[in-house]
Amino acid sequence: MSLEPNHTHKKPSGKTIYTCPMHPQIEQDHPGNCPICGMTLEPKAGASGDAEDSEAGSLARKFWVGVILTVPILFLSLGKMVPGVDIDHFVPGLFNNWLQLALATVVVFWCGGLFFARAWRSVINRSLNMFTLIGLGVGAAYLYSAIATVWPGIFPDSFKHDGELDLYFEAATVITVLVLFGQWLEARARRSTGKAIEGLLGLAAKTAHRLTAAGDEEEVPIDELRPDDHVRVRPGEKIPLDGTITDGASSVDESMLTGESIPVGKAVGDQVIGATLNQTGSFVMRVEKTGTETVLAQIVDMVANAQRSRAPIQKVADRVAGYFVPAVIAVAILTALIWAVWGPPPSLGFAIVNAVAVLIIACPCALGLATPMSIMVGVGRGAQGGILIKDAEVLETAEKVTHLIVDKTGTVTAGKPQVTDVVGVAGFDQSALLSLATTIEVHSEHPLARAVVAEASQKGVGLGEVREFQSITGAGIKGLVDGREVLAGNRDFLESNGVTLPKELTEKADELSNQARSLVWVASAGRAAGIIGIADPVKETTSSAIQQLHAIGIRIIMATGDNPRTAHAVAERLKIDEVRAGLKPEDKQRLVEELKIKGAKVAVAGDGINDAPALAVADVGIAMGTGTDVAIESAGITLIRGDLNGIAKALVLSKKVMQNIRQNLFFAFIYNLLGVPVAAGILYPFFGLLLSPIIAGAAMSFSSVSVVANALRIYKARL
């Protein structure tokens, strides 16, 4: 069944947009029902959940009213079957029928009226769906029973059983109540899939302390802040928006966005992210991003769009559903004809009952929910763990990944060089060597120099005074410390300045180099003082992540611009499958293309800038880092906390979501393939068994609920 092209509405400025969870291309600026499947449209991300609460509340009221009125209908209709109960003594036959009619009319048309409205819209829009079948089934059972009550004389004897017409008010009302129950549970379950977005929105601060031109503070709502406003953030407060610290320092708990439990030190010039928690210090920040430009807003928007997107596998369900409903109607008509012609008396009564059972049990609600529910829950589960998925297609592609290409620095390693070895010659113990090196390195901006200074600061090493400081690019630095010339740099730098290197020191240097150490050579007064080994430490999560990736069949390739010796040392230690060192961005792109030609499905993890060429040609691009604009827009998956553990979790999540979808589709297909023949009466000739429409309604409702429950298991999945 095709959708008329004018059903999609563009988003008007400032209005809440409502969309269908199963058909996200349907959008409009007011509440309503999807013209394709008939489901209630839900507000998109950022909108109030009041509409969804209202839907669940309305369904709950209709359900309970239906239950209260259906119980006496069951007593009136089935009371004759209870031994020792003379229902005619309490409620005479004619009055019994009219009382059932009155109660059933309220249940069918007030409680279940929404089903008939949706069924009618499905016919108008030429998009037959589950509500078409419900409307036909319930309507047929009610209409026949109502006519039999009001004009019983128009029916021939073939309709009668023991001289009386059978009424099916209990079938119509129980089916209505059961479908309402299923819809109510689904509404509550779909509401729970928005918890990820609600949780993210709830992280945002509500007010901020803005500094005026006179230097005073005023408390204002977040919405009133503008770029370049200056805001003071006190200890224990949430950072209001994205910006840069201009005064003060603190440590910031970013776990709510990154999952990293260790607070991050922040000082002047450092960027801070809105919604993270300031801890120890007070600082002033300049607001740089507001509204939809903030990292939090982009994350919320990305999660919402991904939850509404459609995976390619859903096309299978859509194609089946397009033919399924007309086929079911045809089967129901054929069932009615067969029972009417060849069925036992009352043949026409059996014809109606079995046709209604076929229509009810075949409702494709479970089939329609199978894919979107898993996608919604899976994307939300990823957001909770700092894994931002751009759309459903990425999830499906990520499941098939065979090769993962990662950089070394910042992904496998921490990207923060640290001193690992301090080796002094005779006359220079570790403390003396570190003091000498730090005294001169403190004036350098080189990353290795900063590592030496940090080590000395941590150990409380005292510093001397430097004069005549010089920096020689690509070689080292020198200066006078306490009247002696001190050199710090690479080996060639010391030798070119006439320093003789003792054999035991060069042997130790070779040993450290084979362990992926970068070396700072130090000399004082013309003779070697020692070496300082520096390494970019491997992240704590890297080793376990590699094991997890290997366990799911991923081959890991480390593609880096670093020198081969360092890269191979790290790869050997971590059991990385393959190393490509000394690569430029275009080399990484060629590597991806080579692997794809060989039939591999390739994922590339990068920062979205230097690795842009490789990300562009990869089957799955994974952006590492803190969720910058470039990263969020350029990659299919963005990891707020950039490490291999996040990549492993993302790929495991994709496999679990796709497995969950296949389970849902299998159960939905099997349920209908088995249920329809049984409802049509295929077992009656052999075992005398018929499927009551009531049982069919219960089975249909709980099949949908089972699909929803299976999808919600992803929330508890271990990644």
Side-chain angles (χ1 to χ4, degrees):
M1 295 297 165
S2 61
L3 172 68
E4 296 297 323
N6 60 351
H7 284 308
T8 301
H9 302 269
K10 297 299 181 182
K11 179 177 180 178
S13 176
K15 290 188 178 181
T16 298
I17 295 301
Y18 295 83
T19 186
C20 175
M22 293 202 297
H23 300 92
Q25 71 271 28
I26 302 299
E27 292 187 0
Q28 62 186 38
D29 60 2
H30 57 277
N33 302 114
C34 175
I36 301 178
C37 65
M39 290 184 66
T40 302
L41 301 182
E42 301 175 359
K44 294 184 74 174
S48 168
D50 293 345
E52 290 151 314
D53 291 335
S54 176
E55 180 203 0
S58 175
L59 289 170
R61 286 191 298 274
K62 292 178 184 295
F63 166 71
W64 287 115
V65 170
V67 168
I68 292 171
L69 297 182
T70 298
V71 169
I73 292 175
L74 288 172
F75 176 75
L76 292 170
S77 63
L78 304 179
K80 297 177 182 179
M81 303 179 187
V82 179
V85 176
D86 184 7
I87 191 67
D88 290 333
H89 176 74
F90 299 100
V91 186
L94 186 59
F95 181 69
N96 183 321
N97 294 351
W98 281 93
L99 184 56
Q100 286 190 57
L101 172 62
L103 295 174
T105 300
V106 177
V107 175
V108 170
F109 291 104
W110 185 79
C111 299
L114 72 162
F115 302 143
F116 292 106
R118 294 175 182 180
W120 177 246
R121 277 195 294 270
S122 74
V123 175
I124 293 176
N125 293 317
R126 291 177 292 172
S127 297
L128 304 184
N129 54 48
M130 60 172 285
F131 296 107
T132 315
L133 302 183
I134 293 172
L136 286 172
V138 173
Y142 173 84
L143 186 61
Y144 167 80
S145 302
I147 295 174
T149 300
V150 179
W151 299 291
I154 68 172
F155 290 93
D157 291 341
S158 61
F159 276 70
K160 297 179 181 179
H161 183 243
D162 294 335
E164 294 183 4
L165 289 170
D166 286 328
L167 303 182
Y168 302 104
F169 286 123
E170 82 284 355
T173 55
V174 171
I175 290 169
T176 299
V177 168
L178 288 171
V179 176
L180 278 170
F181 181 64
Q183 291 286 294
W184 176 35
L185 292 183
E186 287 173 22
R188 293 181 60 184
R190 292 198 309 271
R191 186 77 176 94
S192 71
T193 63
K195 288 180 180 178
I197 293 177
E198 288 183 356
L200 289 171
L201 289 172
L203 297 178
K206 304 298 185 289
T207 61
H209 301 287
R210 182 170 60 189
L211 300 181
T212 65
D216 299 326
E217 291 184 19
E218 57 178 359
E219 187 170 352
V220 298
I222 294 297
D223 294 343
E224 293 186 13
L225 292 179
R226 298 292 180 266
D228 293 328
D229 280 350
H230 283 73
V231 175
R232 181 175 298 282
V233 184
R234 298 189 178 96
E237 291 183 340
K238 287 184 177 180
I239 295 171
L241 295 168
D242 299 1
T244 301
I245 295 178
T246 59
D247 181 46
S250 183
S251 59
V252 177
D253 179 0
E254 297 183 338
S255 61
M256 57 185 65
L257 288 181
T258 66
E260 175 57 70
S261 59
I262 301 175
V264 181
K266 301 286 184 179
V268 174
D270 289 339
Q271 290 188 331
V272 288
I273 303 173
T276 55
L277 185 65
N278 182 32
Q279 289 200 324
T280 57
S282 175
F283 61 84
V284 175
M285 61 171 285
R286 180 179 66 253
V287 175
E288 295 177 344
K289 295 180 181 179
T290 62
T292 58
E293 296 179 350
T294 64
V295 168
L296 180 62
Q298 291 185 52
I299 290 173
V300 169
D301 187 59
M302 184 177 184
V303 172
N305 289 336
Q307 286 188 329
R308 308 293 185 186
S309 62
R310 294 158 65 83
I313 195 174
Q314 188 168 340
K315 294 177 182 177
V316 176
D318 290 344
R319 284 196 297 269
V320 171
Y323 296 102
F324 185 74
V325 176
V328 168
I329 295 174
V331 170
I333 294 172
L334 182 62
T335 299
L337 291 174
I338 291 174
W339 278 95
V341 175
W342 290 291
S347 58
L348 291 179
F350 279 117
I352 292 174
V353 170
N354 291 322
V356 169
V358 169
L359 290 171
I360 296 302
I361 201 168
C363 285
C365 183
L367 187 62
L369 287 170
T371 297
M373 281 303 303
S374 298
I375 294 296
M376 291 174 73
V377 177
V379 170
R381 176 69 177 87
Q384 290 177 338
I387 303 167
L388 306 180
I389 298 161
K390 197 166 190 176
D391 55 45
E393 186 172 357
V394 171
L395 272 175
E396 186 166 338
T397 305
E399 185 214 17
K400 303 170 184 174
V401 166
T402 59
H403 290 65
L404 171 66
I405 298 176
V406 298
D407 194 8
K408 180 178 76 70
T409 305
T411 303
V412 174
T413 64
K416 297 178 180 179
Q418 297 177 0
V419 171
T420 57
D421 304 272
V422 180
V423 182
V425 299
F428 289 94
D429 59 19
Q430 289 188 352
S431 180
L433 178 60
L434 193 57
S435 175
L436 188 65
T438 305
T439 298
I440 192 167
E441 292 279 22
V442 75
H443 296 279
S444 173
E445 292 298 322
H446 194 279
L448 297 184
R450 288 198 293 270
V452 173
V453 173
E455 179 73 7
S457 175
Q458 183 178 350
K459 292 189 173 180
V461 173
L463 306 181
E465 184 178 344
V466 179
R467 292 185 295 110
E468 299 181 18
F469 175 83
Q470 295 182 46
S471 177
I472 295 85
T473 303
I477 55 178
K478 63 181 179 179
L480 296 179
V481 178
D482 299 329
R484 294 173 296 174
E485 184 180 61
V486 175
L487 307 174
N490 58 36
R491 178 173 179 170
D492 291 339
F493 177 60
L494 266 65
E495 290 180 334
S496 65
N497 280 274
V499 177
T500 301
L501 305 178
K503 182 179 180 181
E504 63 271 16
L505 194 61
T506 58
E507 290 177 348
K508 183 63 176 178
D510 290 339
E511 178 186 335
L512 293 177
S513 294
N514 290 330
Q515 297 174 7
R517 304 290 195 266
S518 298
L519 301 179
V520 175
W521 294 75
V522 184
S524 176
R527 74 183 187 92
I531 52 176
I532 298 176
I534 299 173
D536 185 2
V538 172
K539 292 182 178 180
E540 294 180 1
T541 58
T542 297
S543 181
S544 61
I546 289 175
Q547 292 177 16
Q548 190 174 12
L549 288 166
H550 281 155
I552 60 176
I554 306 295
R555 181 174 176 82
I556 304 170
I557 301 174
M558 188 169 71
T560 177
D562 285 357
N563 68 75
R565 174 182 279 186
T566 301
H568 280 281
V570 172
E572 184 177 351
R573 172 185 168 189
L574 295 172
K575 296 182 173 58
I576 290 175
D577 301 296
E578 188 176 342
V579 177
R580 301 288 183 93
L583 299 186
K584 297 177 181 178
E586 55 269 27
D587 297 327
K588 292 185 180 181
Q589 179 183 1
R590 281 194 291 271
L591 173 60
V592 175
E593 291 171 342
E594 290 172 8
L595 291 171
K596 290 177 69 174
I597 290 173
K598 296 177 181 178
K601 286 288 184 180
V602 185
V604 173
D607 59 11
I609 301 173
N610 294 335
D611 297 309
L615 285 168
V617 298
D619 294 296
V620 177
I622 303 174
M624 315 292 287
T626 55
T628 62
D629 293 348
V630 173
I632 290 178
E633 292 299 326
S634 65
I637 298 174
T638 298
L639 305 178
I640 299 179
R641 181 185 179 187
D643 59 15
L644 269 181
N645 197 41
I647 299 175
K649 287 182 177 180
L651 296 180
V652 169
L653 176 64
S654 71
K655 292 182 180 297
K656 289 185 179 294
V657 170
M658 295 310 300
Q659 181 184 39
N660 193 271
I661 288 174
R662 293 189 185 97
Q663 290 170 351
N664 286 344
L665 289 174
F666 173 79
F667 289 129
F669 280 126
I670 289 297
Y671 163 79
N672 284 301
L673 288 174
L674 297 179
V676 171
V678 173
I682 195 172
L683 298 180
Y684 186 80
F686 308 101
F687 306 104
L689 296 177
L690 288 176
L691 187 66
S692 164
I694 295 176
I695 303 300
M700 182 273 295
S701 295
F702 285 102
S703 69
S704 300
V705 173
S706 66
V707 165
V708 173
N710 187 49
L712 291 176
R713 289 192 309 112
I714 300 174
Y715 272 131
K716 299 181 180 179
R718 183 177 179 182
L719 301 181

